[in-house]
Amino acid sequence: MIEIRTIATGSKGNCYRVSDGSTALLLEAGISFTAIHKGLEFKTSEIEGVLVTHEHQDHCKGVEGCLKRGMTIYMSQGTKDGVGLDNAQIRIIRSKEQFRIGTWTILPFDVQHDVNEPLGFLLQSDNGDKLLFATDTYYIKYKFTGLTHLMIECNYDQQTLDENVASGHIHPAMKKRVMRSHFGLENLVEFFKANDLTKVEEIHLLHLSDNNSNVERIFKTVARATGKLIYIP
Amino acid sequence: MSNGVTNQQQVHVIPKEKQNAFVTTAAKKIAEMQQLGQINLPSNYSVENALQAAFFTLTAVDFKNKTPIIEQVTPDSVAFALQDMAIQGLSVAKKQGYFINYGGKLQFQRSYHGTQAVIKRLIGIKDIWANVIWKGEEFEVEYNERGQLAFKLHKANWKAATGKKEDIEGAYCIVEHEVGRQFLTVMTMDEILTSWSQSSNKSVQDKYPQEMAKRTVINRASKAFLFTSDDSEILLDAINRTTENEFEPQVKDMGDVQEVQEEIAQNANTEELDITQVKEPLTHKQEPEIIAEYEQQELLNEDGPSF
């Protein structure tokens, strides 16, 4: 059984704790270390590894604090260069090269975002559960089998985005930027269709935009498309 | 300006009705963004003052242009341009940018003073400056131990600064981090001229080539910074947008949204990806020690003599 706890989500910062009952991991450290510490109820020593997808502040703000605390951080070379930190506790990982942390086997894969070498993660616990973590990508190249848990970005929905442009809330240039860096509801539905969801127990929709998303519309659409338990933290 | 004095006391007061509606709307929008924590303006920046100054510029009529710029452009574009300026905490009164009419759409274009101000506000950046290299001056660069282009020497000859375009060999910009690390951007005059060939500012470039060369190299240097920065802040979007505005003949056509959709349709969800199974999935909780033993066992089995 995988336990997922959202400590922070959205463009102000992302941080999630996932555990299979044996090994606890942190996905992203995009808030201050103090906030991470609090979110983990001060049990930072339980965390066996921190996986970071890319160098944007809302995903790695707390990395330095985690390093000071002696935590091990996993990221791509490109992300490490982007973050600009040099520390022996940073482990470089590569797309499609799997590795182990405790009871987890983790397979990083390349995603589509406007930074150098961003990653998504497929995590399989020794207890058989399989979790997909993908955020800050405007689509996913890959298809997966046997997923039991999904933590996936749903940043905007086209209707809200278009309405915002029409009403002048969003600059037209921003629309393209959003569409070229984030996962939208319509593309997410295509993703659900292309993947085998029979074993999926939970879907966590992450990183909803404050302005460009209509939570109700997103919830209903995903529910209709998947028929699964949906969490919008 | 008497407005400056009044506005300082009434930070929270909505500007008076008789002031232009654009100014009121833009000020309201900025205040909203500030409240939501979406933007962080410098403490000494007064949105109202900056918008007021912008309004004067936009409505100004001189002998050459009989109609003020605000009447030549669409109201929507005025709102966006004002927002772009205010989000970046810049002011036309301080010559940190200009309003330009691009085919009926108003755009805010940052000046290099504006770019310097914005870059300095990014966390970790101490200073940014640019120099022109004149003909006959000695200028040397080298690759540092990190393999990055680095400044070595510039022996300036003040007599070489003729102010003529033909006498400029190039320009460079240095961005310095708080920790002392420097990033160098160098452009030859050829590169600068190529960039200028896109622009409609010909007369300014001929008149003040030195200042314009600095502006161009600062913009080039900043692009590298701004585009790699955090995308979470609206400030950076505004900055990137006004950087994009640099020498764009007209407002960017957003038609390529379709391109994005096609790209997604073509590439998404195509390749199968899965974890290679190394071990049988375990059904019960494993202590780290046991896993270590388990792995050792495996190793022994593989390496041991086969019977």
Side-chain angles (χ1 to χ4, degrees):
Chain A
M1 184 61 200
I2 293 180
E3 190 208 355
I4 296 166
R5 196 198 305 162
T6 299
I7 299 170
T9 188
S11 57
K12 288 193 190 86
N14 294 276
C15 186
Y16 313 90
R17 179 191 186 273
V18 296
S19 170
D20 61 353
S22 304
T23 308
L25 302 174
L26 215 55
L27 303 178
E28 314 282 34
I31 46 175
S32 71
F33 181 72
T34 325
I36 295 177
H37 203 200
K38 211 182 267 177
L40 291 170
E41 289 157 2
F42 309 102
K43 294 178 209 155
T44 41
S45 55
E46 283 179 3
I47 303 295
E48 302 211 7
V50 184
L51 309 179
V52 176
T53 58
H54 66 289
E55 73 252 35
H56 281 154
Q57 280 297 306
D58 54 331
H59 296 260
C60 67
K61 195 178 183 180
V63 165
E64 207 168 352
C66 290
L67 286 169
K68 278 191 191 138
R69 191 71 181 198
M71 293 160 99
T72 309
I73 320 275
Y74 297 78
M75 56 172 71
S76 70
Q77 183 66 50
T79 302
K80 188 184 168 196
D81 294 343
V83 174
L85 290 171
D86 207 9
N87 190 302
Q89 286 300 104
I90 297 179
R91 306 265 194 275
I92 301 300
I93 50 174
R94 283 173 202 87
S95 171
K96 298 186 192 173
E97 284 183 19
Q98 70 186 48
F99 60 96
R100 301 260 310 163
I101 304 176
T103 45
W104 293 97
T105 305
I106 300 153
L107 179 64
F109 57 90
D110 50 303
V111 297
Q112 317 301 318
H113 196 47
D114 52 356
V115 287
N116 205 3
E117 237 189 313
L119 296 173
F121 302 108
L122 180 63
L123 303 105
Q124 183 170 273
S125 164
D126 286 346
N127 69 23
D129 281 349
K130 208 192 255 183
L131 165 71
L132 178 73
F133 180 73
T135 178
D136 288 58
T137 179
Y138 59 104
Y139 67 90
I140 297 175
K141 267 204 274 188
Y142 305 104
K143 282 198 287 191
F144 307 90
T145 45
L147 296 175
T148 55
H149 293 72
L150 279 166
M151 293 172 76
I152 197 154
E153 170 177 36
C154 186
N155 186 267
Y156 67 95
D157 65 271
Q158 202 67 49
Q159 194 180 329
T160 310
L161 184 62
D162 290 344
E163 279 167 8
N164 280 340
V165 174
S167 66
H169 278 79
I170 296 282
H171 195 289
M174 183 112 167
K175 176 175 161 183
K176 191 187 70 181
R177 197 181 154 84
V178 168
M179 289 180 68
R180 251 206 209 286
S181 52
H182 290 288
F183 220 150
L185 175 65
E186 290 72 16
N187 298 321
L188 189 58
V189 169
E190 289 305 310
F191 170 84
F192 289 138
K193 277 189 209 157
N195 280 272
D196 169 26
L197 301 182
T198 43
K199 287 189 184 164
V200 170
E201 296 165 17
E202 293 175 10
I203 298 174
H204 295 248
L205 299 174
L206 316 176
H207 214 315
L208 262 71
S209 156
D210 293 339
N211 300 317
N212 300 328
S213 64
N214 175 328
V215 179
E216 203 187 334
R217 187 180 301 143
I218 288 175
F219 187 91
K220 278 186 183 156
T221 312
V222 175
R224 256 200 303 270
T226 64
K228 303 288 179 182
L229 200 57
I230 298 161
Y231 295 90
I232 300 185
Chain B
M1 251 180 282
S2 62
N3 275 314
V5 183
T6 16
N7 276 324
Q8 266 168 12
Q9 298 157 346
Q10 28 168 270
V11 185
H12 302 292
V13 178
I14 301 162
K16 278 173 260 159
E17 275 305 309
K18 66 176 181 190
Q19 289 170 355
N20 194 286
F22 298 129
V23 176
T24 321
T25 331
K28 222 196 239 166
K29 187 88 224 284
I30 301 295
E32 243 175 63
M33 287 173 160
Q34 260 181 307
Q35 255 172 9
L36 289 170
Q38 291 174 325
I39 50 167
N40 210 347
L41 291 171
S43 54
N44 58 356
Y45 182 73
S46 156
V47 181
E48 284 83 2
N49 284 355
L51 289 172
Q52 204 59 252
F55 181 63
F56 288 136
T57 316
L58 291 172
T59 49
V61 181
D62 56 29
F63 291 114
K64 225 168 58 194
N65 299 312
K66 297 275 187 291
T67 37
I69 190 167
I70 201 160
E71 285 172 24
Q72 305 166 19
V73 294
T74 65
D76 274 0
S77 70
V78 175
F80 281 136
L82 287 175
Q83 253 184 56
D84 274 351
M85 179 197 73
I87 288 169
Q88 298 176 78
L90 299 178
S91 167
V92 283
K94 292 184 195 160
K95 293 272 176 276
Q96 288 167 329
Y98 314 92
F99 290 107
I100 295 178
N101 172 1
Y102 277 123
K105 286 197 176 166
L106 190 72
Q107 281 194 355
F108 177 71
Q109 195 176 71
R110 219 170 39 233
S111 70
Y112 80 83
H113 300 297
T115 305
Q116 280 175 312
V118 164
I119 292 275
K120 279 194 209 165
R121 264 168 46 208
L122 289 180
I123 300 162
I125 291 177
K126 203 167 99 187
D127 207 354
I128 170 169
W129 67 92
N131 288 316
V132 165
I133 309 158
W134 296 97
K135 236 174 220 161
E137 286 183 346
E138 228 177 293
F139 177 70
E140 280 177 39
V141 292
E142 62 185 355
Y143 283 107
N144 65 12
E145 67 287 348
R146 292 161 60 94
Q148 290 164 326
L149 203 63
F151 177 81
K152 197 175 172 193
L153 160 120
H154 182 185
K155 256 195 198 156
N157 172 10
W158 64 273
K159 283 184 186 162
T162 58
K164 285 185 202 139
K165 190 157 72 176
E166 305 76 55
D167 291 338
I168 300 175
E169 287 219 278
Y172 61 92
C173 170
I174 294 176
V175 179
E176 189 174 58
H177 270 224
E178 265 160 10
V179 285
R181 237 186 324 154
Q182 290 189 343
F183 287 90
L184 173 72
T185 308
V186 188
M187 282 177 93
T188 62
M189 196 55 195
D190 278 347
E191 283 180 280
I192 293 171
L193 289 173
T194 312
S195 168
W196 287 1
S197 68
Q198 312 278 322
S199 103
S200 48
N201 294 349
K202 281 268 168 341
S203 60
V204 191
Q205 284 149 7
D206 289 336
K207 218 165 163 187
Y208 310 105
Q210 184 178 352
E211 296 305 297
M212 291 303 279
K214 283 190 200 174
R215 170 178 189 268
T216 306
V217 75
I218 286 177
N219 272 326
R220 163 76 65 89
S222 316
K223 270 185 191 178
F225 264 86
L226 301 172
F227 286 127
T228 52
S229 284
D230 193 332
D231 78 342
S232 65
E233 285 197 38
I234 291 179
L235 163 70
L236 284 163
D237 280 308
I239 294 170
N240 287 344
R241 201 154 56 233
T242 41
T243 308
E244 266 181 36
N245 288 351
E246 163 96 337
F247 302 151
E248 283 288 341
Q250 53 194 335
V251 175
K252 264 212 162 150
D253 182 16
M254 286 303 132
D256 52 358
V257 158
Q258 204 186 342
E259 208 180 281
V260 184
Q261 279 159 343
E262 276 166 19
E263 182 193 339
I264 295 173
Q266 199 171 6
N267 299 335
N269 321 316
T270 45
E271 201 181 315
E272 299 268 350
L273 187 71
D274 205 1
I275 286 173
T276 323
Q277 302 301 335
V278 229
K279 292 176 199 167
E280 283 298 301
L282 303 171
T283 43
H284 58 277
K285 186 178 164 170
Q286 288 280 323
E287 293 303 325
E289 291 80 19
I290 302 175
I291 290 172
E293 244 178 56
Y294 178 74
E295 277 169 352
Q296 274 175 11
Q297 195 89 45
E298 259 193 348
L299 275 173
L300 278 175
N301 286 346
E302 275 174 23
D303 295 337
S306 50
F307 296 102

